[in-house]
Amino acid sequence: MENVIIIGTGPAGYTAAIYSARADLSPLILTGSQPGGQLTTTTDVENFPGFPEGIMGPELMVKMQQQAERFGARVENGVEVTDVIKNDDGSFTVKAKQVFGTETMEWQSKTVIIASGASARYLGLPGEMDLVKSGAGLTACATCDGAFYRDVPVCVIGGGDSAAEEATFLTKFASKVYLIHRREELRASKIMAQRALDNPKIEPVWNSQVVEYLLDDNGRIRGVKLENTVDGSHSELELEGVFMAIGHTPNSGFLSDELVDKDESGYVLQVPGRTATKTPGLYSAGDISDTVYRQGITAAGQGCAAALEAEHYLAGLEG
Ligand code: NAP
């Protein structure tokens, strides 16, 4: 029987692992299909405290893993959790299968921390994820990457609050921000939409869908090809950065409604002010429950809180 199983290896999962390992709980971490989480899809991380020169996203995640393993955390690579079941004795059964294979496995644990994150949605165009991973001009995080686009034109794709907010934020750096939306009315709340549309640096591009990323000789984005969603005509925009803001999908599909409450988008709901879910011994941390901040450092903070709550719960079991 494990003390703590942590599902997910982003900043939330690894911070939970560091804290529970240092509490001598020997946590087991299940990596999922994207070891290291969303930060492994970015290049320079300049806003994580403690790295004044910045650090590469994948390197930061390797360091977190090493820190957790140093204190006795165990990492099970390449397994995707398929089910979490609450047993009659209050413990949990965690079922998983190989990401690249068919083998299945299961563990028993007294507590579980869900840190399986959320995935930014992309358009699904060919080569898209390669552009993200190589830092070639496509990203889903303006807060993380906006400062790399000083005095050059960029675009934001989407029409919700995230798109409006990110477009406004990017005007601090970029020479121009095209806000590309597939309809001619933003979904964003009135105040955020108005703030974006009133900004002289933001130019809305209505009824338009990006259908191709145009690359320079070095494979970096130099523009986008647009299709008009009304008349099907094509045009091109020259720009150097594409910021995707078409929503996120929380990785919560393996969790039953019996175990956790979720909002209408699938984010796991926590007991207010805590990382606890409605099931005793089951905690959540990071983007799986965060629709507001979505930062590495806020996820790490929640991972710490979840580990402390799990430790407290385990101490209560021992009586
Ligand atoms: P969202 O509200 O779901 O908006 C997604 C946008 O992307 C929509 O405009 C949608 O177009 C567009 N879109 C979706 N799929 C697309 C595709 N395949 N191609 C092109 N466009 C596509 O997502 P969000 O903006 O990330 O917001 C998520 C939640 O967080 C919302 O509840 C929001 O209010 C909240 N939020 C709040 C704040 C804040 O208050 N400060 C900031 C950010 C987010 P359609 O409009 O045509 O569907």
Side-chain angles (χ1 to χ4, degrees):
M1 172 81 72
E2 301 287 343
N3 287 312
V4 186
I5 285 183
I6 298 166
I7 303 171
T9 48
Y14 277 136
T15 306
I18 291 165
Y19 272 76
S20 46
R22 291 192 78 251
D24 248 356
L25 296 173
S26 184
L28 176 66
I29 319 168
L30 309 178
T31 65
S33 58
Q34 194 183 15
Q38 289 183 68
L39 276 179
T40 58
T41 64
T42 65
T43 49
D44 289 281
V45 178
E46 292 186 328
N47 55 8
F48 202 92
F51 300 95
E53 310 301 331
I55 183 167
M56 300 299 273
E59 191 189 347
L60 177 61
M61 298 323 299
V62 168
K63 281 181 184 292
M64 284 194 199
Q65 178 173 346
Q66 289 169 342
Q67 195 172 351
E69 286 176 329
R70 183 181 150 209
F71 298 110
R74 293 157 299 138
V75 180
E76 184 81 33
N77 280 301
V79 294
E80 192 175 345
V81 173
T82 52
D83 208 354
V84 179
I85 297 158
K86 179 87 171 169
N87 303 318
D88 290 342
D89 65 358
S91 68
F92 297 89
T93 299
V94 178
K95 295 187 177 189
K97 69 173 181 60
Q98 286 179 320
V99 175
F100 302 107
T102 52
E103 203 184 307
T104 59
M105 54 284 277
E106 66 177 55
W107 299 267
Q108 315 295 319
S109 183
K110 293 176 196 164
T111 66
V112 173
I113 297 174
I114 310 156
S116 47
S119 307
R121 281 199 223 124
Y122 287 86
L123 296 174
L125 296 176
E128 207 164 40
M129 291 328 286
D130 293 335
L131 289 172
V132 175
K133 284 188 182 156
S134 59
L138 177 60
T139 166
C141 184
T143 313
C144 320
D145 298 326
F148 300 123
Y149 296 87
R150 281 180 201 277
D151 304 322
V152 294
V154 301
C155 74
V156 173
I157 302 176
D161 279 333
S162 296
E165 189 171 67
E166 305 221 330
T168 304
F169 175 75
L170 286 167
T171 59
K172 289 188 196 181
F173 312 103
S175 57
K176 181 170 197 113
V177 180
Y178 296 104
L179 181 53
I180 302 173
H181 186 34
R182 61 185 178 184
R183 298 184 291 127
E184 57 185 349
E185 188 188 14
L186 295 180
R187 171 187 296 277
S189 56
K190 225 173 186 164
I191 185 163
M192 291 175 75
Q194 207 52 52
R195 190 176 301 145
L197 296 175
D198 285 348
N199 191 311
K201 272 190 170 180
I202 296 177
E203 182 178 323
V205 183
W206 302 121
N207 297 323
S208 297
Q209 185 80 297
V210 170
V211 289
E212 189 182 336
Y213 301 109
L214 306 171
L215 307 182
D216 66 15
D217 292 343
N218 298 318
R220 280 197 63 86
I221 286 180
R222 64 166 178 84
V224 290
K225 185 171 178 182
L226 298 173
E227 184 173 276
N228 187 294
T229 53
V230 177
D231 62 18
S233 61
H234 289 102
S235 59
E236 292 185 3
L237 274 181
E238 278 182 27
L239 44 82
E240 294 190 19
V242 176
F243 290 81
M244 201 61 67
I246 62 170
H248 285 74
T249 308
N251 303 316
S252 64
F254 63 92
L255 296 164
S256 70
D257 293 345
E258 216 173 286
L259 210 59
V260 295
D261 287 331
K262 302 177 196 172
D263 73 6
E264 66 280 0
S265 306
Y267 287 90
V268 172
L269 298 177
Q270 298 167 319
V271 175
R274 296 182 52 200
T275 57
T277 66
K278 72 171 178 182
T279 300
L282 183 65
Y283 305 89
S284 73
D287 284 13
I288 188 71
S289 291
D290 182 2
T291 57
V292 180
Y293 303 110
R294 297 187 175 125
Q295 300 301 301
I297 189 65
T298 51
Q302 283 231 323
C304 161
L308 294 177
E309 287 207 59
E311 189 186 342
H312 188 73
Y313 174 85
L314 287 166
L317 288 184
E318 281 167 14

